[in-house]
PDB file of all heavy atoms in Angstrom:
ATOM      1  N   GLY L1335       0.785  -1.204  -0.026  1.00  0.00           N
ATOM      2  CA  GLY L1335      -0.008  -0.012   0.023  1.00  0.00           C
ATOM      3  C   GLY L1335       0.835   1.282   0.002  1.00  0.00           C
ATOM      4  O   GLY L1335       1.703   1.476  -0.840  1.00  0.00           O
ATOM      5  N   ALA L1336       0.507   2.134   0.957  1.00  0.00           N
ATOM      6  CA  ALA L1336       1.148   3.465   0.997  1.00  0.00           C
ATOM      7  C   ALA L1336       2.631   3.407   1.309  1.00  0.00           C
ATOM      8  O   ALA L1336       3.331   4.370   1.115  1.00  0.00           O
ATOM      9  CB  ALA L1336       0.439   4.338   2.059  1.00  0.00           C
ATOM     10  N   GLY L1337       3.149   2.298   1.858  1.00  0.00           N
ATOM     11  CA  GLY L1337       4.546   2.138   2.137  1.00  0.00           C
ATOM     12  C   GLY L1337       5.434   2.171   0.865  1.00  0.00           C
ATOM     13  O   GLY L1337       6.644   2.392   0.939  1.00  0.00           O
ATOM     14  N   CYS L1338       4.815   1.908  -0.249  1.00  0.00           N
ATOM     15  CA  CYS L1338       5.575   1.888  -1.495  1.00  0.00           C
ATOM     16  C   CYS L1338       6.058   3.304  -1.949  1.00  0.00           C
ATOM     17  O   CYS L1338       7.091   3.463  -2.539  1.00  0.00           O
ATOM     18  CB  CYS L1338       4.748   1.298  -2.637  1.00  0.00           C
ATOM     19  SG  CYS L1338       4.368  -0.491  -2.450  1.00  0.00           S
ATOM     20  N   VAL L1339       5.242   4.307  -1.616  1.00  0.00           N
ATOM     21  CA  VAL L1339       5.552   5.615  -2.039  1.00  0.00           C
ATOM     22  C   VAL L1339       6.871   6.212  -1.400  1.00  0.00           C
ATOM     23  O   VAL L1339       7.774   6.572  -2.125  1.00  0.00           O
ATOM     24  CB  VAL L1339       4.350   6.604  -1.788  1.00  0.00           C
ATOM     25  CG1 VAL L1339       4.739   8.053  -2.108  1.00  0.00           C
ATOM     26  CG2 VAL L1339       3.150   6.204  -2.623  1.00  0.00           C
ATOM     27  N   PRO L1340       7.007   6.157  -0.118  1.00  0.00           N
ATOM     28  CA  PRO L1340       8.267   6.673   0.483  1.00  0.00           C
ATOM     29  C   PRO L1340       9.490   5.812   0.096  1.00  0.00           C
ATOM     30  O   PRO L1340      10.564   6.296  -0.120  1.00  0.00           O
ATOM     31  CB  PRO L1340       8.073   6.637   1.980  1.00  0.00           C
ATOM     32  CG  PRO L1340       6.763   6.064   2.259  1.00  0.00           C
ATOM     33  CD  PRO L1340       6.036   5.885   0.981  1.00  0.00           C
ATOM     34  N   LEU L1341       9.209   4.492  -0.039  1.00  0.00           N
ATOM     35  CA  LEU L1341      10.269   3.583  -0.441  1.00  0.00           C
ATOM     36  C   LEU L1341      10.757   3.936  -1.885  1.00  0.00           C
ATOM     37  O   LEU L1341      11.940   3.994  -2.201  1.00  0.00           O
ATOM     38  CB  LEU L1341       9.801   2.130  -0.363  1.00  0.00           C
ATOM     39  CG  LEU L1341      10.872   1.079  -0.727  1.00  0.00           C
ATOM     40  CD1 LEU L1341      12.022   1.080   0.272  1.00  0.00           C
ATOM     41  CD2 LEU L1341      10.211  -0.319  -0.791  1.00  0.00           C
ATOM     42  N   GLY L1342       9.781   4.177  -2.762  1.00  0.00           N
ATOM     43  CA  GLY L1342      10.117   4.553  -4.160  1.00  0.00           C
ATOM     44  C   GLY L1342      10.852   5.864  -4.227  1.00  0.00           C
ATOM     45  O   GLY L1342      11.796   5.983  -4.942  1.00  0.00           O
ATOM     46  N   ILE L1343      10.412   6.821  -3.409  1.00  0.00           N
ATOM     47  CA  ILE L1343      11.096   8.151  -3.404  1.00  0.00           C
ATOM     48  C   ILE L1343      12.565   8.000  -2.901  1.00  0.00           C
ATOM     49  O   ILE L1343      13.476   8.534  -3.491  1.00  0.00           O
ATOM     50  CB  ILE L1343      10.286   9.161  -2.524  1.00  0.00           C
ATOM     51  CG1 ILE L1343       8.997   9.478  -3.173  1.00  0.00           C
ATOM     52  CG2 ILE L1343      11.129  10.436  -2.320  1.00  0.00           C
ATOM     53  CD1 ILE L1343       8.060  10.290  -2.284  1.00  0.00           C
ATOM     54  N   GLY L1344      12.749   7.240  -1.839  1.00  0.00           N
ATOM     55  CA  GLY L1344      14.058   7.084  -1.276  1.00  0.00           C
ATOM     56  C   GLY L1344      15.020   6.348  -2.233  1.00  0.00           C
ATOM     57  O   GLY L1344      16.140   6.818  -2.500  1.00  0.00           O
ATOM     58  N   ILE L1345      14.534   5.236  -2.792  1.00  0.00           N
ATOM     59  CA  ILE L1345      15.398   4.497  -3.723  1.00  0.00           C
ATOM     60  C   ILE L1345      15.630   5.301  -4.996  1.00  0.00           C
ATOM     61  O   ILE L1345      16.756   5.335  -5.504  1.00  0.00           O
ATOM     62  CB  ILE L1345      14.709   3.126  -4.024  1.00  0.00           C
ATOM     63  CG1 ILE L1345      14.795   2.241  -2.810  1.00  0.00           C
ATOM     64  CG2 ILE L1345      15.474   2.435  -5.213  1.00  0.00           C
ATOM     65  CD1 ILE L1345      14.037   0.950  -2.906  1.00  0.00           C
ATOM     66  N   GLY L1346      14.615   5.991  -5.490  1.00  0.00           N
ATOM     67  CA  GLY L1346      14.798   6.829  -6.680  1.00  0.00           C
ATOM     68  C   GLY L1346      15.817   7.948  -6.449  1.00  0.00           C
ATOM     69  O   GLY L1346      16.580   8.277  -7.291  1.00  0.00           O
ATOM     70  N   ALA L1347      15.668   8.571  -5.245  1.00  0.00           N
ATOM     71  CA  ALA L1347      16.638   9.669  -4.909  1.00  0.00           C
ATOM     72  C   ALA L1347      18.077   9.140  -4.876  1.00  0.00           C
ATOM     73  O   ALA L1347      18.998   9.845  -5.337  1.00  0.00           O
ATOM     74  CB  ALA L1347      16.241  10.334  -3.635  1.00  0.00           C
ATOM     75  N   LEU L1348      18.248   8.012  -4.291  1.00  0.00           N
ATOM     76  CA  LEU L1348      19.616   7.397  -4.198  1.00  0.00           C
ATOM     77  C   LEU L1348      20.169   7.088  -5.617  1.00  0.00           C
ATOM     78  O   LEU L1348      21.338   7.408  -5.928  1.00  0.00           O
ATOM     79  CB  LEU L1348      19.649   6.166  -3.338  1.00  0.00           C
ATOM     80  CG  LEU L1348      19.483   6.468  -1.832  1.00  0.00           C
ATOM     81  CD1 LEU L1348      19.336   5.124  -1.078  1.00  0.00           C
ATOM     82  CD2 LEU L1348      20.656   7.236  -1.281  1.00  0.00           C
ATOM     83  N   TRP L1349      19.309   6.440  -6.419  1.00  0.00           N
ATOM     84  CA  TRP L1349      19.783   6.166  -7.756  1.00  0.00           C
ATOM     85  C   TRP L1349      20.039   7.390  -8.566  1.00  0.00           C
ATOM     86  O   TRP L1349      21.057   7.543  -9.248  1.00  0.00           O
ATOM     87  CB  TRP L1349      18.696   5.332  -8.498  1.00  0.00           C
ATOM     88  CG  TRP L1349      18.859   3.868  -8.275  1.00  0.00           C
ATOM     89  CD1 TRP L1349      18.216   3.127  -7.365  1.00  0.00           C
ATOM     90  CD2 TRP L1349      19.689   2.963  -9.046  1.00  0.00           C
ATOM     91  NE1 TRP L1349      18.645   1.773  -7.455  1.00  0.00           N
ATOM     92  CE2 TRP L1349      19.518   1.691  -8.468  1.00  0.00           C
ATOM     93  CE3 TRP L1349      20.577   3.138 -10.088  1.00  0.00           C
ATOM     94  CZ2 TRP L1349      20.231   0.595  -8.949  1.00  0.00           C
ATOM     95  CZ3 TRP L1349      21.265   2.066 -10.557  1.00  0.00           C
ATOM     96  CH2 TRP L1349      21.067   0.784 -10.000  1.00  0.00           C
ATOM     97  N   GLY L1350      19.173   8.403  -8.419  1.00  0.00           N
ATOM     98  CA  GLY L1350      19.386   9.643  -9.192  1.00  0.00           C
ATOM     99  C   GLY L1350      20.640  10.416  -8.726  1.00  0.00           C
ATOM    100  O   GLY L1350      21.333  10.967  -9.526  1.00  0.00           O
ATOM    101  N   ALA L1351      20.889  10.380  -7.394  1.00  0.00           N
ATOM    102  CA  ALA L1351      22.133  11.066  -6.941  1.00  0.00           C
ATOM    103  C   ALA L1351      23.376  10.322  -7.450  1.00  0.00           C
ATOM    104  O   ALA L1351      24.316  10.961  -7.796  1.00  0.00           O
ATOM    105  CB  ALA L1351      22.108  11.078  -5.393  1.00  0.00           C
ATOM    106  N   GLY L1352      23.313   9.000  -7.463  1.00  0.00           N
ATOM    107  CA  GLY L1352      24.417   8.263  -8.042  1.00  0.00           C
ATOM    108  C   GLY L1352      24.667   8.541  -9.476  1.00  0.00           C
ATOM    109  O   GLY L1352      25.797   8.717  -9.931  1.00  0.00           O
ATOM    110  N   ILE L1353      23.608   8.552 -10.253  1.00  0.00           N
ATOM    111  CA  ILE L1353      23.747   8.843 -11.685  1.00  0.00           C
ATOM    112  C   ILE L1353      24.228  10.297 -11.866  1.00  0.00           C
ATOM    113  O   ILE L1353      25.061  10.541 -12.710  1.00  0.00           O
ATOM    114  CB  ILE L1353      22.434   8.556 -12.430  1.00  0.00           C
ATOM    115  CG1 ILE L1353      22.140   7.054 -12.369  1.00  0.00           C
ATOM    116  CG2 ILE L1353      22.443   9.118 -13.832  1.00  0.00           C
ATOM    117  CD1 ILE L1353      20.801   6.651 -12.921  1.00  0.00           C
ATOM    118  N   GLY L1354      23.666  11.213 -11.107  1.00  0.00           N
ATOM    119  CA  GLY L1354      24.100  12.584 -11.181  1.00  0.00           C
ATOM    120  C   GLY L1354      25.559  12.718 -10.842  1.00  0.00           C
ATOM    121  O   GLY L1354      26.284  13.529 -11.477  1.00  0.00           O
ATOM    122  N   GLY L1355      26.014  11.989  -9.882  1.00  0.00           N
ATOM    123  CA  GLY L1355      27.455  12.001  -9.476  1.00  0.00           C
ATOM    124  C   GLY L1355      28.347  11.515 -10.604  1.00  0.00           C
ATOM    125  O   GLY L1355      29.411  12.057 -10.897  1.00  0.00           O
ATOM    126  N   LEU L1356      27.885  10.450 -11.296  1.00  0.00           N
ATOM    127  CA  LEU L1356      28.642   9.902 -12.431  1.00  0.00           C
ATOM    128  C   LEU L1356      28.677  10.949 -13.573  1.00  0.00           C
ATOM    129  O   LEU L1356      29.738  11.120 -14.216  1.00  0.00           O
ATOM    130  CB  LEU L1356      28.027   8.597 -12.911  1.00  0.00           C
ATOM    131  CG  LEU L1356      28.195   7.435 -11.989  1.00  0.00           C
ATOM    132  CD1 LEU L1356      27.384   6.220 -12.514  1.00  0.00           C
ATOM    133  CD2 LEU L1356      29.651   7.052 -11.862  1.00  0.00           C
ATOM    134  N   VAL L1357      27.550  11.600 -13.787  1.00  0.00           N
ATOM    135  CA  VAL L1357      27.532  12.632 -14.837  1.00  0.00           C
ATOM    136  C   VAL L1357      28.500  13.771 -14.482  1.00  0.00           C
ATOM    137  O   VAL L1357      29.258  14.297 -15.234  1.00  0.00           O
ATOM    138  CB  VAL L1357      26.142  13.160 -15.078  1.00  0.00           C
ATOM    139  CG1 VAL L1357      26.098  14.415 -15.941  1.00  0.00           C
ATOM    140  CG2 VAL L1357      25.248  12.130 -15.686  1.00  0.00           C
ATOM    141  N   GLY L1358      28.472  14.170 -13.168  1.00  0.00           N
ATOM    142  CA  GLY L1358      29.299  15.265 -12.684  1.00  0.00           C
ATOM    143  C   GLY L1358      30.808  14.941 -12.811  1.00  0.00           C
ATOM    144  O   GLY L1358      31.632  15.822 -13.011  1.00  0.00           O
ATOM    145  N   VAL L1359      31.171  13.651 -12.678  1.00  0.00           N
ATOM    146  CA  VAL L1359      32.546  13.217 -12.792  1.00  0.00           C
ATOM    147  C   VAL L1359      33.031  13.382 -14.239  1.00  0.00           C
ATOM    148  O   VAL L1359      34.171  13.724 -14.526  1.00  0.00           O
ATOM    149  CB  VAL L1359      32.755  11.810 -12.289  1.00  0.00           C
ATOM    150  CG1 VAL L1359      34.083  11.225 -12.694  1.00  0.00           C
ATOM    151  CG2 VAL L1359      32.604  11.768 -10.769  1.00  0.00           C
ATOM    152  N   THR L1360      32.123  13.098 -15.201  1.00  0.00           N
ATOM    153  CA  THR L1360      32.539  13.080 -16.617  1.00  0.00           C
ATOM    154  C   THR L1360      32.425  14.460 -17.241  1.00  0.00           C
ATOM    155  O   THR L1360      33.073  14.714 -18.271  1.00  0.00           O
ATOM    156  CB  THR L1360      31.653  12.068 -17.392  1.00  0.00           C
ATOM    157  OG1 THR L1360      30.317  12.466 -17.303  1.00  0.00           O
ATOM    158  CG2 THR L1360      31.883  10.687 -16.862  1.00  0.00           C
ATOM    159  N   VAL L1361      31.603  15.384 -16.761  1.00  0.00           N
ATOM    160  CA  VAL L1361      31.402  16.621 -17.399  1.00  0.00           C
ATOM    161  C   VAL L1361      32.201  17.706 -16.636  1.00  0.00           C
ATOM    162  O   VAL L1361      32.199  17.864 -15.461  1.00  0.00           O
ATOM    163  CB  VAL L1361      29.918  17.031 -17.354  1.00  0.00           C
ATOM    164  CG1 VAL L1361      29.648  18.425 -17.874  1.00  0.00           C
ATOM    165  CG2 VAL L1361      29.075  16.069 -18.076  1.00  0.00           C
ATOM    166  N   LYS L1362      32.920  18.512 -17.449  1.00  0.00           N
ATOM    167  CA  LYS L1362      33.718  19.616 -16.934  1.00  0.00           C
ATOM    168  C   LYS L1362      33.046  20.921 -17.272  1.00  0.00           C
ATOM    169  O   LYS L1362      32.431  20.979 -18.302  1.00  0.00           O
ATOM    170  CB  LYS L1362      35.152  19.607 -17.469  1.00  0.00           C
ATOM    171  CG  LYS L1362      36.019  18.573 -16.947  1.00  0.00           C
ATOM    172  CD  LYS L1362      37.422  18.749 -17.471  1.00  0.00           C
ATOM    173  CE  LYS L1362      38.389  17.726 -16.900  1.00  0.00           C
ATOM    174  NZ  LYS L1362      39.720  17.959 -17.480  1.00  0.00           N
ATOM    175  N   GLY L1363      33.204  21.904 -16.441  1.00  0.00           N
ATOM    176  CA  GLY L1363      32.684  23.204 -16.742  1.00  0.00           C
ATOM    177  C   GLY L1363      33.726  24.252 -16.325  1.00  0.00           C
ATOM    178  O   GLY L1363      34.477  24.090 -15.410  1.00  0.00           O
ATOM    179  N   GLU L1364      33.720  25.324 -17.074  1.00  0.00           N
ATOM    180  CA  GLU L1364      34.695  26.400 -16.795  1.00  0.00           C
ATOM    181  C   GLU L1364      34.205  27.271 -15.646  1.00  0.00           C
ATOM    182  O   GLU L1364      33.047  27.620 -15.610  1.00  0.00           O
ATOM    183  CB  GLU L1364      34.988  27.247 -18.031  1.00  0.00           C
ATOM    184  CG  GLU L1364      36.182  28.128 -17.859  1.00  0.00           C
ATOM    185  CD  GLU L1364      36.664  28.641 -19.215  1.00  0.00           C
ATOM    186  OE1 GLU L1364      36.024  28.414 -20.248  1.00  0.00           O
ATOM    187  OE2 GLU L1364      37.701  29.303 -19.205  1.00  0.00           O
ATOM    188  N   GLN L1365      35.080  27.545 -14.725  1.00  0.00           N
ATOM    189  CA  GLN L1365      34.764  28.403 -13.549  1.00  0.00           C
ATOM    190  C   GLN L1365      35.278  29.811 -13.834  1.00  0.00           C
ATOM    191  O   GLN L1365      36.377  29.999 -14.330  1.00  0.00           O
ATOM    192  CB  GLN L1365      35.475  27.890 -12.295  1.00  0.00           C
ATOM    193  CG  GLN L1365      35.071  26.455 -11.948  1.00  0.00           C
ATOM    194  CD  GLN L1365      33.612  26.357 -11.450  1.00  0.00           C
ATOM    195  OE1 GLN L1365      33.234  27.121 -10.588  1.00  0.00           O
ATOM    196  NE2 GLN L1365      32.877  25.419 -11.977  1.00  0.00           N
ATOM    197  N   TRP L1366      34.475  30.844 -13.506  1.00  0.00           N
ATOM    198  CA  TRP L1366      34.816  32.193 -13.735  1.00  0.00           C
ATOM    199  C   TRP L1366      34.740  32.988 -12.431  1.00  0.00           C
ATOM    200  O   TRP L1366      33.947  32.734 -11.539  1.00  0.00           O
ATOM    201  CB  TRP L1366      33.816  32.827 -14.703  1.00  0.00           C
ATOM    202  CG  TRP L1366      33.918  32.216 -16.070  1.00  0.00           C
ATOM    203  CD1 TRP L1366      33.294  31.135 -16.549  1.00  0.00           C
ATOM    204  CD2 TRP L1366      34.775  32.662 -17.135  1.00  0.00           C
ATOM    205  NE1 TRP L1366      33.667  30.852 -17.835  1.00  0.00           N
ATOM    206  CE2 TRP L1366      34.617  31.781 -18.216  1.00  0.00           C
ATOM    207  CE3 TRP L1366      35.695  33.671 -17.277  1.00  0.00           C
ATOM    208  CZ2 TRP L1366      35.272  31.892 -19.430  1.00  0.00           C
ATOM    209  CZ3 TRP L1366      36.398  33.829 -18.481  1.00  0.00           C
ATOM    210  CH2 TRP L1366      36.137  32.955 -19.574  1.00  0.00           C
ATOM    211  N   GLN L1367      35.649  33.966 -12.299  1.00  0.00           N
ATOM    212  CA  GLN L1367      35.694  34.823 -11.136  1.00  0.00           C
ATOM    213  C   GLN L1367      35.555  36.264 -11.621  1.00  0.00           C
ATOM    214  O   GLN L1367      36.262  36.673 -12.498  1.00  0.00           O
ATOM    215  CB  GLN L1367      37.032  34.643 -10.339  1.00  0.00           C
ATOM    216  CG  GLN L1367      37.118  35.580  -9.167  1.00  0.00           C
ATOM    217  CD  GLN L1367      38.440  35.429  -8.465  1.00  0.00           C
ATOM    218  OE1 GLN L1367      39.331  34.776  -8.955  1.00  0.00           O
ATOM    219  NE2 GLN L1367      38.567  36.057  -7.327  1.00  0.00           N
ATOM    220  N   ARG L1368      34.652  36.976 -11.022  1.00  0.00           N
ATOM    221  CA  ARG L1368      34.413  38.324 -11.401  1.00  0.00           C
ATOM    222  C   ARG L1368      35.503  39.240 -10.828  1.00  0.00           C
ATOM    223  O   ARG L1368      35.852  39.072  -9.630  1.00  0.00           O
ATOM    224  CB  ARG L1368      33.063  38.853 -10.871  1.00  0.00           C
ATOM    225  CG  ARG L1368      32.658  40.143 -11.427  1.00  0.00           C
ATOM    226  CD  ARG L1368      31.228  40.432 -11.020  1.00  0.00           C
ATOM    227  NE  ARG L1368      30.820  41.703 -11.606  1.00  0.00           N
ATOM    228  CZ  ARG L1368      29.623  42.193 -11.509  1.00  0.00           C
ATOM    229  NH1 ARG L1368      28.701  41.549 -10.859  1.00  0.00           N
ATOM    230  NH2 ARG L1368      29.288  43.310 -12.067  1.00  0.00           N
ATOM    231  N   ILE L1369      36.112  40.104 -11.614  1.00  0.00           N
ATOM    232  CA  ILE L1369      37.145  41.017 -11.088  1.00  0.00           C
ATOM    233  C   ILE L1369      36.708  42.433 -11.281  1.00  0.00           C
ATOM    234  O   ILE L1369      35.796  42.741 -12.125  1.00  0.00           O
ATOM    235  CB  ILE L1369      38.472  40.792 -11.847  1.00  0.00           C
ATOM    236  CG1 ILE L1369      38.380  40.961 -13.340  1.00  0.00           C
ATOM    237  CG2 ILE L1369      39.026  39.333 -11.511  1.00  0.00           C
ATOM    238  CD1 ILE L1369      39.688  40.805 -14.067  1.00  0.00           C
ATOM    239  N   ASP L1370      37.290  43.323 -10.550  1.00  0.00           N
ATOM    240  CA  ASP L1370      36.925  44.727 -10.596  1.00  0.00           C
ATOM    241  C   ASP L1370      37.384  45.280 -11.942  1.00  0.00           C
ATOM    242  O   ASP L1370      38.565  45.293 -12.312  1.00  0.00           O
ATOM    243  CB  ASP L1370      37.622  45.531  -9.443  1.00  0.00           C
ATOM    244  CG  ASP L1370      37.237  46.984  -9.503  1.00  0.00           C
ATOM    245  OD1 ASP L1370      36.193  47.324 -10.000  1.00  0.00           O
ATOM    246  OD2 ASP L1370      38.015  47.745  -8.901  1.00  0.00           O
ATOM    247  N   ALA L1371      36.411  45.802 -12.673  1.00  0.00           N
ATOM    248  CA  ALA L1371      36.666  46.228 -14.089  1.00  0.00           C
ATOM    249  C   ALA L1371      36.661  47.736 -14.184  1.00  0.00           C
ATOM    250  O   ALA L1371      36.643  48.246 -15.288  1.00  0.00           O
ATOM    251  CB  ALA L1371      35.681  45.614 -15.013  1.00  0.00           C
ATOM    252  N   SER L1372      36.706  48.463 -13.091  1.00  0.00           N
ATOM    253  CA  SER L1372      36.624  49.896 -13.199  1.00  0.00           C
ATOM    254  C   SER L1372      37.724  50.510 -14.045  1.00  0.00           C
ATOM    255  O   SER L1372      37.439  51.333 -14.861  1.00  0.00           O
ATOM    256  CB  SER L1372      36.536  50.553 -11.788  1.00  0.00           C
ATOM    257  OG  SER L1372      37.613  50.117 -11.040  1.00  0.00           O
ATOM    258  N   PRO L1373      39.004  50.152 -13.872  1.00  0.00           N
ATOM    259  CA  PRO L1373      39.990  50.727 -14.747  1.00  0.00           C
ATOM    260  C   PRO L1373      40.158  50.071 -16.086  1.00  0.00           C
ATOM    261  O   PRO L1373      40.829  50.541 -16.987  1.00  0.00           O
ATOM    262  CB  PRO L1373      41.284  50.592 -13.936  1.00  0.00           C
ATOM    263  CG  PRO L1373      41.093  49.400 -13.118  1.00  0.00           C
ATOM    264  CD  PRO L1373      39.621  49.396 -12.840  1.00  0.00           C
ATOM    265  N   VAL L1374      39.529  48.920 -16.262  1.00  0.00           N
ATOM    266  CA  VAL L1374      39.624  48.116 -17.503  1.00  0.00           C
ATOM    267  C   VAL L1374      38.302  48.157 -18.224  1.00  0.00           C
ATOM    268  O   VAL L1374      37.238  47.879 -17.641  1.00  0.00           O
ATOM    269  CB  VAL L1374      40.018  46.708 -17.166  1.00  0.00           C
ATOM    270  CG1 VAL L1374      40.136  45.856 -18.410  1.00  0.00           C
ATOM    271  CG2 VAL L1374      41.320  46.623 -16.360  1.00  0.00           C
ATOM    272  N   GLN L1375      38.338  48.453 -19.516  1.00  0.00           N
ATOM    273  CA  GLN L1375      37.117  48.463 -20.338  1.00  0.00           C
ATOM    274  C   GLN L1375      37.347  47.599 -21.525  1.00  0.00           C
ATOM    275  O   GLN L1375      38.074  47.926 -22.431  1.00  0.00           O
ATOM    276  CB  GLN L1375      36.765  49.873 -20.742  1.00  0.00           C
ATOM    277  CG  GLN L1375      36.304  50.762 -19.645  1.00  0.00           C
ATOM    278  CD  GLN L1375      35.897  52.078 -20.150  1.00  0.00           C
ATOM    279  OE1 GLN L1375      36.348  52.572 -21.201  1.00  0.00           O
ATOM    280  NE2 GLN L1375      35.030  52.735 -19.461  1.00  0.00           N
ATOM    281  N   PRO L1376      36.704  46.430 -21.574  1.00  0.00           N
ATOM    282  CA  PRO L1376      36.784  45.587 -22.792  1.00  0.00           C
ATOM    283  C   PRO L1376      36.011  46.261 -23.906  1.00  0.00           C
ATOM    284  O   PRO L1376      35.034  46.979 -23.643  1.00  0.00           O
ATOM    285  CB  PRO L1376      36.139  44.267 -22.405  1.00  0.00           C
ATOM    286  CG  PRO L1376      35.673  44.396 -20.991  1.00  0.00           C
ATOM    287  CD  PRO L1376      36.012  45.746 -20.521  1.00  0.00           C
ATOM    288  N   ASP L1377      36.434  46.070 -25.105  1.00  0.00           N
ATOM    289  CA  ASP L1377      35.830  46.823 -26.255  1.00  0.00           C
ATOM    290  C   ASP L1377      35.726  45.854 -27.420  1.00  0.00           C
ATOM    291  O   ASP L1377      36.704  45.186 -27.814  1.00  0.00           O
ATOM    292  CB  ASP L1377      36.741  48.014 -26.600  1.00  0.00           C
ATOM    293  CG  ASP L1377      36.106  48.916 -27.637  1.00  0.00           C
ATOM    294  OD1 ASP L1377      34.863  48.885 -27.781  1.00  0.00           O
ATOM    295  OD2 ASP L1377      36.867  49.569 -28.339  1.00  0.00           O
ATOM    296  N   VAL L1378      34.518  45.750 -27.972  1.00  0.00           N
ATOM    297  CA  VAL L1378      34.289  44.877 -29.163  1.00  0.00           C
ATOM    298  C   VAL L1378      33.653  45.802 -30.226  1.00  0.00           C
ATOM    299  O   VAL L1378      32.631  46.453 -29.950  1.00  0.00           O
ATOM    300  CB  VAL L1378      33.327  43.721 -28.845  1.00  0.00           C
ATOM    301  CG1 VAL L1378      33.090  42.890 -30.104  1.00  0.00           C
ATOM    302  CG2 VAL L1378      33.916  42.851 -27.708  1.00  0.00           C
ATOM    303  N   ARG L1379      34.238  45.842 -31.411  1.00  0.00           N
ATOM    304  CA  ARG L1379      33.713  46.662 -32.445  1.00  0.00           C
ATOM    305  C   ARG L1379      34.026  46.041 -33.837  1.00  0.00           C
ATOM    306  O   ARG L1379      34.998  45.301 -33.971  1.00  0.00           O
ATOM    307  CB  ARG L1379      34.261  48.101 -32.393  1.00  0.00           C
ATOM    308  CG  ARG L1379      35.741  48.190 -32.622  1.00  0.00           C
ATOM    309  CD  ARG L1379      36.215  49.607 -32.646  1.00  0.00           C
ATOM    310  NE  ARG L1379      36.158  50.138 -31.238  1.00  0.00           N
ATOM    311  CZ  ARG L1379      36.510  51.286 -30.897  1.00  0.00           C
ATOM    312  NH1 ARG L1379      37.008  52.123 -31.800  1.00  0.00           N
ATOM    313  NH2 ARG L1379      36.417  51.672 -29.642  1.00  0.00           N
TER     314      ARG L1379
END
């Protein structure tokens, strides 16, 4: 009965977290740091 719902949520969350961790290990993303640009002005024309 109703015991299946929390069991399904818990097991699904664990599986999803595991798969998300595997995806995170294989995917890289570039990290950016904002710097004070007051004396520097990039220009594209």
